[in-house]
């Protein structure tokens, strides 16, 4: 059935059942993934998926339902489900259906050239990078993952208050993980690249980078447990910021789930720290002109020179705080209810090269990778303890590689202990590339090792 | 779910273009998720997942596609487009799918879809009240409830045609304790391959209080010391250590391509005599159980390690081709959106001889990890980590004082050898394991064990 006709029928059935305002959110994804192993396409995956989320206000409360089967039979299910879901909701916070903003910024999020790139070119690229990485050094034992994927996503919001918005975004990614081995040790390193422009994938540069990093880690050993000055390389700082990004959500603040409660306009970080939420960033994976409720998105500084400037709001939390929505309503998929998330959020870069930061630190650790974010980082308490890999820095130079250690601290102390910021802002995995950071020099972190 | 003759046509269409094996997986799943916060139902989302996954093998290579549009024309189109990426069509196939009945290991009494949502909410409110009233220090409690009924149809070009219905429910309680501008958390929960009758078999208030007790203990605890020390790991969820340190490394996903430290170790001693480990998908009503895996193969009780000797891997059909081994009924996927691969079901270390008290009293100094968070592993190096959410320092054979969470790290093959005591108090915890084929329910189990030496990622030196 055509989407338009389906929506019309659904709204009709909903109205008949007594649902006042209604909204439909349709998401369509087209997905390709290729995995190469020893020169052959080992896995090939392709999908067209579509899902529809329906929400509506029944007796003053908002109910949600969704379906992946868009047929006449689903209409009754959706309507009944929304009503039965409102009946058990007893939250005092009223959600509303939005008629639309007066103005939406124009954003360019669809790369036609990527869409038109033939699959043979993608296969060629992913085979080339595997071959290149294997050829660079005899110690490259295997390439355990070598994956290319791209995705094109269409979102549509239509409601009974007259809102009708559409967006289309596409991007491509590649992931390579190499295993290197010598007589005594085995190590891995990975790279994840995400671009909207296929031409930006430089297979030689990526292969060289990942193989060199893996080789540099061979023979890494632990280090004495102590407090050390630490540089968190850009990718590591981004992972930590991502793990804690929920603390900025006004929803978490209002529910006493964020330690930023009551901290608005107060200094919570070193004055060197400015955190930006930019929905209009070029090539951003969360670049968009409207959020999941149909509100126009906004550029904002969340932390301005160390001072907490705003929380991130959707319409519900904004109403409760008596402020305007910041356009951060978010639906992770058609299955999810509306929550709050950043758009493209990053720590503003400084002006130092990483090399310079290493030189100036003199003695300490440069951390290049962390593991265990899901269990080792507690967004409520701010505490973190993560498995880490990196280099020992002695007299301003890399002395040796270090592994089998953990770094531990508390986010709120860490934000105050930032002593220097690199010029190497990067957006990274996980989080689909919408959280970014440059490298950060931290006064001191607890390191557990020998 | 899908007419047998359509399934036959789709499989034949695929093989007429390319490949030597084709499989169809149909999923129709009803989901309910409820969230209760501050005593009020905050979120109630339910819905229907529906889709078809088509997988084709040609030798060791595979192609996969999925779609929500299950009309015959579309499925045949998708099957052909997918097969075209593979070589070696072997087909002048005729196919006669024979529906086989499967043995049901787990009885379901009350299907969740037949239970009013308000009853589910009542249960959640009981949990909330028990946790919130546990102590004044408890500032916030979140209760999450989920249930699902997953109908699957699995058919392949070998003539297999099975249908099954999988029913699960789970409830978890997160408590937060606040004091002096600090917050600490506690977590407890349980789930089963069962209907709503599951909640008659457990005392939900006990779970709620346990969650609050953890949060209260942690808000009053000091920072965890760091460095290498003996670590005693709790029964039940403590099985996360085996799951990460060893379990993933035994999956054919990693063994087939030589990217696991446990490759070529079959029949070799990889752990002390006191360690026997099993993955059993057949345990009645257990959270990680299945009648048939997501390739339609009957689940089994698979011995992984017996008295320290590596006995077997977890194998799926595709990787089994590379390894020249049969499926162990261990192929799983989150949904039709993922091609399946070898995963764990209910994994556990079997009982040893020591009592919990003996393990504690034989430890001069060390960490007792009582609360366990998640973990992860890099199978090619064996480097793993897992989080301790509630810890205690053991001194002179006695539990001395609580300490806050810390990460434990190590290398799987080293840690296994370092297990020097195994308790007699086997229990299972219910987890969600995320890997290549998505997030699947798995049991993590073990009796209390002691590891001679492990790196504890704390934040200070012990005084």
């Amino acid at each position: 059935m055509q989407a338009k006709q389906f929506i019309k029928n659904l709204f009709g059935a909903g109205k008949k059942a007594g649902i006042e305002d209604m909204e439909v959110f349709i998401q369509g994804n087209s997905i390709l993934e290729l995995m190469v192993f020893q020169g052959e396409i080992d896995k090939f995956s392709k999908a067209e998926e579509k899902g529809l989320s329906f929400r509506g206000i029944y007796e003053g409360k908002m109910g949600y339902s969704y379906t992946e089967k868009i047929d006449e039979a689903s209409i009754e299910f959706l309507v009944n489900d929304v009503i039965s879901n409102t009946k058990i909701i007893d939250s005092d916070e009223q959600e509303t259906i939005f008629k639309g903003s007066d103005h939406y910024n124009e954003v360019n999020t669809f790369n036609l050239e990527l869409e038109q790139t033939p699959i043979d070119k993608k296969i060629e690229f992913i085979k080339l990078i595997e071959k290149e990485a294997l050829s660079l050094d005899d110690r490259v034992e295997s390439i355990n993952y070598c994956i290319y994927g791209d995705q094109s996503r269409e979102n549509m919001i239509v409601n009974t208050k007259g809102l009708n918005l559409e967006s289309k975004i596409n991007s491509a990614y590649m992931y390579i993980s190499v295993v290197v081995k010598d007589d005594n040790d085995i190590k891995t390193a990975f790279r994840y690249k995400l671009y909207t422009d296929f031409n930006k994938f430089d297979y030689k540069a990526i292969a060289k980078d990942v193989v060199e990093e893996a080789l540099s880690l061979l023979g890494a050993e632990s280090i004495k447990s102590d407090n050390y000055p630490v540089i968190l390389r850009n990718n590591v700082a981004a992972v930590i910021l991502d793990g804690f990004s929920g603390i900025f959500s006004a929803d978490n603040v209002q529910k006493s789930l964020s330690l930023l409660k009551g901290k608005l306009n107060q200094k919570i970080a070193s004055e060197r720290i400015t955190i930006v939420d930019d929905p209009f960033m070029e090539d951003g994976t969360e670049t968009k002109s409207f959020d999941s409720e149909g509100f126009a998105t906004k550029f904002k500084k969340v932390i301005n020179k160390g001072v907490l400037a705003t929380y991130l709001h959707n319409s519900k939390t904004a109403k409760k705080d008596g402020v305007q929505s910041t356009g951060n309503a978010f639906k992770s998929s058609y299955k999810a209810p509306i929550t709050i998330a950043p758009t493209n959020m990053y720590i503003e870069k400084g002006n130092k090269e990483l090399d310079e930061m290493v030189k100036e630190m003199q003695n300490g650790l440069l951390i290049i990778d962390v593991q265990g974010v899901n269990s080792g980082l507690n967004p409520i308490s701010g505490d973190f303890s993560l498995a880490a890999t990196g280099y020992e820095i002695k007299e301003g130079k890399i002395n040796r590689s270090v592994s089998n250690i953990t770094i531990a601290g508390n986010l709120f102390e860490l934000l105050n202990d930032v002593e220097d910021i690199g010029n190497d802002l990067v957006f990274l995995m996980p989080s689909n590339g919408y959280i970014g950071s440059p490298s950060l020099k931290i006064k001191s972190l607890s390191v557990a090792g020998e | 779910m899908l007419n047998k003759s359509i399934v036959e046509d789709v499989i034949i269409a695929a093989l007429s273009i390319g490949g030597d094996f084709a499989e169809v997986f149909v999923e129709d799943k009803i989901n309910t998720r409820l969230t209760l916060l501050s005593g009020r139902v905050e979120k109630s989302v339910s819905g229907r997942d529906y889709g078809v996954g088509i997988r084709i093998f040609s030798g060791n290579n595979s192609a996969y596609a999925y779609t929500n549009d299950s009309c015959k024309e579309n499925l045949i189109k998708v099957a052909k487009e997918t097969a075209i990426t593979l070589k070696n069509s072997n087909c002048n196939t005729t196919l006669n799918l024979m529906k086989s009945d499967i043995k049901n290991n787990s009885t379901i009494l009350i299907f969740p879809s037949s239970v009013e949502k308000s009853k589910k909410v009542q249960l959640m409110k009981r949990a909330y009240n028990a946790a919130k009233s546990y102590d004044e220090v408890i500032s916030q409690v979140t209760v999450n409830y989920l249930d699902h009924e997953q109908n699957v149809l699995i058919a392949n070009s070998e003539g297999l045609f099975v249908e099954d219905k999988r029913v699960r429910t789970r409830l978890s309680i997160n408590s937060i304790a606040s004091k002096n501008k600090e917050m600490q958390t506690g977590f407890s929960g349980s789930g089963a391959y069962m209907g709503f009758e599951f909640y008659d078999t457990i005392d939900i208030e006990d779970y709620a209080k346990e969650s609050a007790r953890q949060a209260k203990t942690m808000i009053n605890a000091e920072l965890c010391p760091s460095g290498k020390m003996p670590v005693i790991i709790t029964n039940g969820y403590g099985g996360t250590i085996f799951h990460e340190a060893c379990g993933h490394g035994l999956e054919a996903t990693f063994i087939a391509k030589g990217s696991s430290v446990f490759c070529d170790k079959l029949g070799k001693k990889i752990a002390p005599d006191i360690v026997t480990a099993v993955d059993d998908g057949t345990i009645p009503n257990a959270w990680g159980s299945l009648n048939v895996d997501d390739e339609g193969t009957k689940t089994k009780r698979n011995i992984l390690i017996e008295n320290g000797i590596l006995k077997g891997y977890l194998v799926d059909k595709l990787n089994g081709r590379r390894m020249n081994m049969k499926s162990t009924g261990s192929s799983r996927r989150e949904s039709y959106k993922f091609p399946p691969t070898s995963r764990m079901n209910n994994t556990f270390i079997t009982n040893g001889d020591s009592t919990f008290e003996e393990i504690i009293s034989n430890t001069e100094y060390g960490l007792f990890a009582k609360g366990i968070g998640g973990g992860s592993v890099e199978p090619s190096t064996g480097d793993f980590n897992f989080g301790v959410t509630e810890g205690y320092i053991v001194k002179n054979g006695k539990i001395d004082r609580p300490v806050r969470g810390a990460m434990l790290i190590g290398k799987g093959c080293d840690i296994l050898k370092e297990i020097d005591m195994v308790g007699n108090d086997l229990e299972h915890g219910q987890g969600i394991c995320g890997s290549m084929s998505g997030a699947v329910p798995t049991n993590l189990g073990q009796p209390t064990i002691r590891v001679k030496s492990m790196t504890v990622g704390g934040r200070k030196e012990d005084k």
Side-chain angles (χ1 to χ4, degrees):
Chain A
M1 199 184 335
Q2 285 299 305
K4 268 186 187 158
Q5 187 59 43
F6 181 84
I7 293 169
K8 205 178 147 201
N9 295 355
L10 178 60
F11 284 169
K15 200 170 175 193
K16 229 179 184 172
I19 305 179
E20 296 147 48
D21 297 334
M22 286 166 274
E23 186 169 275
V24 156
F25 173 92
I26 298 183
Q27 193 169 74
N29 296 318
S30 153
I31 298 163
L32 172 75
E33 194 170 274
L34 307 165
M35 182 156 127
V36 68
F37 184 68
Q38 293 175 351
E40 281 190 69
I41 295 297
D42 172 49
K43 259 182 200 161
F44 173 94
S45 182
K46 201 169 179 318
E48 298 289 336
E49 60 178 19
K50 202 169 215 180
L52 179 146
S53 167
F54 178 54
R55 62 176 189 152
I57 296 175
Y58 183 79
E59 293 180 349
K61 288 180 207 158
M62 183 81 80
Y64 287 85
S65 182
Y66 75 86
T67 183
E68 291 179 341
K69 194 159 191 170
I70 300 179
D71 62 1
E72 197 65 33
S74 295
I75 288 180
E76 192 191 334
F77 170 83
L78 288 169
V79 169
N80 291 342
D81 229 31
V82 157
I83 293 175
S84 78
N85 281 328
T86 62
K87 284 196 171 147
I88 54 162
I89 293 274
D90 46 9
S91 168
D92 58 349
E93 297 156 3
Q94 276 203 0
E95 284 185 74
T96 50
I97 301 270
F98 182 54
K99 67 176 187 346
S101 298
D102 296 334
H103 171 75
Y104 295 97
N105 272 17
E106 245 181 64
V107 293
N108 179 15
T109 56
F110 193 75
N111 186 317
L112 189 65
E113 201 188 331
L114 172 61
E115 168 119 322
Q116 290 171 343
T117 303
I119 198 161
D120 295 347
K121 258 187 101 172
K122 299 168 185 172
I123 292 175
E124 187 195 330
F125 160 72
I126 202 70
K127 283 185 175 173
L128 271 175
I129 190 167
E130 190 202 36
K131 200 172 158 196
E132 177 75 12
L134 281 168
S135 73
L136 285 175
D137 196 289
D138 289 345
R139 290 167 293 176
V140 178
E141 169 85 359
S142 69
I143 310 295
N144 53 349
Y145 295 103
C146 191
I147 298 170
Y148 168 87
D150 56 40
Q151 177 167 186
S152 157
R153 164 176 290 192
E154 285 179 76
N155 283 342
M156 178 161 93
I157 306 179
V158 182
N159 70 32
T160 52
K161 283 196 162 168
L163 188 74
N164 194 335
L165 296 169
E166 279 180 53
S167 67
K168 200 171 179 189
I169 186 164
N170 64 353
S171 61
Y173 67 89
M174 74 85 39
Y175 178 80
I176 182 168
S177 168
V178 303
V179 182
V180 296
K181 200 174 180 180
D182 63 13
D183 293 341
N184 305 309
D185 199 7
I186 176 163
K187 282 283 185 294
T188 63
F190 73 87
R191 282 292 179 273
Y192 177 85
K193 300 280 175 191
L194 192 139
Y195 296 119
T196 47
D197 179 357
F198 184 75
N199 299 313
K200 283 194 181 164
F201 290 105
D202 178 346
Y203 77 90
K204 282 199 166 165
I206 301 169
K208 183 166 178 278
D209 190 32
V210 70
V211 168
E212 279 180 1
E213 181 163 308
L215 291 173
S216 78
L217 295 174
L218 282 172
E221 279 176 18
S222 192
I223 198 165
K224 193 177 158 286
S225 301
D226 204 346
N227 293 322
Y228 290 86
V230 164
I231 294 170
L232 303 174
R233 197 171 69 181
N234 53 9
N235 58 310
V236 173
V239 164
I240 293 176
L241 177 64
D242 177 51
F244 286 112
S245 64
I247 63 170
F248 299 110
S249 151
D251 200 35
N252 286 336
V253 171
Q254 291 172 2
K255 288 169 180 160
S256 304
L257 297 171
S258 165
L259 279 172
L260 293 184
K261 188 177 181 173
K263 296 277 171 69
L264 210 55
N265 300 318
Q266 290 182 24
K267 189 166 175 297
I268 60 160
S270 152
E271 67 281 353
R272 293 179 182 89
I273 294 279
T274 291
I275 297 183
V276 166
D277 186 56
D278 181 2
F280 309 125
M281 193 177 88
E282 212 170 303
D283 286 342
T285 58
E286 282 296 326
T287 295
K288 55 194 170 190
S289 61
F290 61 91
D291 73 5
S292 299
E293 290 180 312
F295 275 75
T297 52
K298 288 177 194 165
F299 175 94
K300 66 204 90 63
K301 286 182 176 171
V302 182
I303 294 180
N304 191 4
K305 296 186 175 135
V307 175
L308 180 64
T310 181
Y311 301 122
L312 301 178
H313 284 281
N314 60 19
S315 65
K316 185 174 85 174
T317 62
K319 200 172 157 191
K320 203 167 177 185
D321 277 8
V323 296
Q324 294 275 311
S325 169
T326 56
N328 288 95
F330 182 70
K331 250 174 127 61
S332 57
S333 85
Y334 50 85
K335 291 187 190 183
I338 285 185
T339 56
I340 293 175
T343 61
N344 304 298
M345 186 167 88
Y346 57 89
I347 297 175
E348 264 187 3
K349 66 180 178 186
N351 44 30
K352 271 198 194 138
E353 300 282 334
L354 181 58
D355 289 353
E356 231 178 310
M357 290 168 72
V358 166
K359 206 191 243 172
E360 285 178 15
M361 180 166 70
Q362 279 296 308
N363 296 301
L365 287 170
L366 167 61
I367 302 297
I368 64 164
D369 192 21
V370 284
Q371 298 292 325
V373 176
N374 289 334
S375 57
L377 182 152
N378 186 331
I380 307 255
S381 64
D383 294 333
F384 62 88
S385 170
L386 301 166
T389 311
Y391 307 109
E392 182 189 30
I393 306 301
K394 266 195 173 167
E395 291 164 9
K397 285 194 185 117
I398 290 177
N399 182 48
R400 66 175 178 101
S401 51
V402 176
S403 69
N404 300 318
I405 59 164
T406 64
I407 55 167
N410 182 281
L411 175 75
F412 301 98
E413 291 165 23
L414 181 143
L415 285 174
N416 275 301
D417 286 350
V418 173
E419 294 185 325
D420 217 340
I421 299 185
N423 62 1
D424 52 353
L425 171 63
V426 73
F427 287 81
L428 265 188
M429 197 181 81
S431 80
N432 248 343
Y434 64 84
I435 303 272
S437 179
S439 297
L440 304 177
K441 157 83 197 305
I442 313 297
K443 200 163 114 194
S444 164
L445 284 177
S446 305
V447 174
E450 291 295 328
Chain B
M1 291 179 71
L2 203 59
N3 192 302
K4 200 161 84 176
S5 75
I6 295 179
V7 177
E8 280 175 359
D9 289 348
V10 172
I11 291 172
I12 290 170
L15 295 183
S16 71
I17 302 288
D20 56 70
F21 170 90
E23 172 195 80
V24 171
F25 178 87
V26 189
E27 179 180 13
D28 191 350
K29 185 178 177 194
I30 302 286
N31 283 304
T32 303
R33 276 172 190 273
L34 303 168
T35 304
L36 186 107
L37 193 129
S38 306
R40 296 185 159 127
V41 177
E42 193 63 34
K43 283 172 195 151
S44 170
V45 183
S46 47
R48 184 177 179 197
D49 298 346
Y50 182 85
V52 181
I54 298 170
R55 190 165 65 138
I56 305 160
F57 298 168
S58 172
N60 292 335
N61 297 330
S62 73
Y64 190 73
Y66 65 87
T67 175
N68 308 119
D69 180 355
S70 62
C71 76
K72 183 175 162 182
E73 295 68 37
N74 182 57
L75 291 177
I76 286 179
K77 181 177 141 256
V78 171
K80 286 184 171 171
E81 282 174 6
T82 311
I84 212 158
T85 62
L86 296 167
K87 292 166 249 166
N88 313 328
S89 161
N90 79 339
C91 237
N92 32 28
T93 311
T94 51
L95 182 64
N96 189 11
L97 294 176
M98 288 293 287
K99 180 163 179 175
S100 47
D101 288 326
I102 56 174
K103 185 173 158 268
N104 186 19
N105 297 325
S106 305
T107 315
I108 307 294
L109 298 176
I110 308 169
F111 286 92
S113 59
S114 72
V115 179
E116 287 280 334
K117 283 194 180 121
S118 59
K119 267 196 136 171
K120 298 171 186 173
V121 172
Q122 267 172 28
L123 178 79
M124 295 168 79
K125 287 194 172 167
R126 272 172 52 204
Y128 172 82
N129 290 330
K132 188 72 178 67
S133 62
Y134 179 80
D135 192 281
E136 279 180 351
V137 80
I138 303 300
S139 57
Q140 182 63 281
V141 176
T142 310
V143 182
N144 285 299
Y145 169 92
L146 74 82
D147 63 45
H148 64 238
E149 295 180 26
Q150 183 201 34
N151 297 293
V152 296
L153 183 165
I154 307 160
N156 68 34
S157 54
E158 290 163 357
L160 175 95
F161 186 98
V162 295
E163 287 182 280
D164 198 10
K165 186 185 193 77
R166 294 136 172 200
V167 179
R168 287 194 186 88
T169 183
R170 176 185 169 96
L171 190 136
S172 59
I173 304 117
N174 288 281
S175 298
I176 297 176
S178 302
K179 199 168 140 185
N180 305 333
K181 292 184 181 169
E182 276 190 335
M183 291 202 272
Q184 290 290 324
T185 56
F187 171 85
S188 171
S190 189
Y193 187 114
M194 246 173 145
F196 202 66
E197 73 274 14
F198 170 61
Y199 298 102
D200 298 329
T201 68
I202 62 164
D203 186 336
I204 201 66
E205 271 96 355
D206 279 356
Y207 282 92
K209 284 178 203 159
E210 168 61 17
S211 153
R213 186 199 60 72
Q214 260 180 43
K216 183 187 170 186
T217 309
M218 285 303 101
I219 198 82
N220 294 316
E222 51 187 78
L223 295 176
C224 183
S226 49
K228 278 200 162 174
M229 62 186 84
V231 178
I232 298 160
I233 302 166
T234 189
N235 61 356
Y237 278 108
T240 308
I241 186 178
F242 183 79
H243 178 100
E244 302 297 352
C246 184
H248 279 297
L250 300 180
E251 292 168 351
T253 319
F254 304 105
I255 298 286
K257 292 184 178 173
S259 52
S260 164
V261 284
F262 296 105
C263 289
D264 309 318
K265 294 271 168 72
L266 273 187
K268 294 197 175 130
K269 183 107 172 147
I270 62 166
D273 291 346
I274 48 172
V275 176
T276 292
V278 173
D279 184 69
D280 186 351
T282 70
I283 303 171
N285 297 109
W287 176 242
S289 288
L290 290 170
N291 294 318
V292 290
D293 72 2
D294 289 322
E295 289 173 343
T297 308
K298 265 187 209 153
T299 50
K300 288 191 344 195
R301 179 183 164 93
N302 293 302
I303 308 272
L304 303 175
I305 298 174
E306 193 167 33
N307 303 327
I309 294 174
L310 181 63
K311 288 286 178 179
Y313 298 124
L314 297 169
V315 187
D316 60 286
K317 276 186 197 271
L318 179 63
N319 288 303
R321 287 183 167 205
R322 244 183 239 281
M323 294 160 69
N324 211 1
M325 278 180 159
K326 276 207 163 135
S327 162
T328 54
S330 309
S331 192
R332 304 186 67 186
R333 58 176 118 198
E334 177 181 325
S335 72
Y336 67 89
K337 292 186 183 180
F338 296 84
T341 192
S342 49
R343 302 286 294 270
M344 287 172 262
N345 284 89
N346 304 302
T347 317
F348 56 94
I349 295 175
T350 58
N351 265 331
D353 300 326
S354 309
T355 64
F356 174 74
E357 291 74 21
E358 278 165 12
I359 296 177
I360 296 287
S361 64
N362 275 293
T363 305
E364 206 170 304
Y365 181 84
L367 178 76
F368 169 40
K370 186 171 194 296
I372 305 293
S376 67
V377 64
E378 169 54 58
S380 51
T381 59
D383 289 330
F384 75 92
N385 63 77
F386 77 100
V388 176
T389 54
E390 181 186 4
Y392 292 85
I393 291 298
V394 176
K395 252 186 187 166
N396 304 323
K398 286 196 180 95
I399 292 180
D400 185 57
R401 60 183 192 279
V403 288
R404 283 186 184 174
M407 183 139 268
L408 303 183
I409 60 167
K411 263 187 193 303
C413 34
D414 298 343
I415 291 300
L416 276 181
K417 290 180 190 142
E418 297 270 305
I419 297 175
D420 64 354
M421 289 183 96
V422 178
N424 60 2
D425 52 356
L426 170 65
E427 268 191 37
H428 301 273
Q430 290 75 45
I432 303 280
C433 167
S435 185
M436 285 195 82
S437 59
V440 298
T442 48
N443 257 3
L444 312 147
Q446 68 171 31
T448 306
I449 63 165
R450 187 174 77 173
V451 179
K452 235 185 297 175
S453 172
M454 248 180 128
T455 302
V456 177
R459 286 181 63 186
K460 63 166 206 175
E461 285 172 45
D462 197 18
K463 283 169 206 136

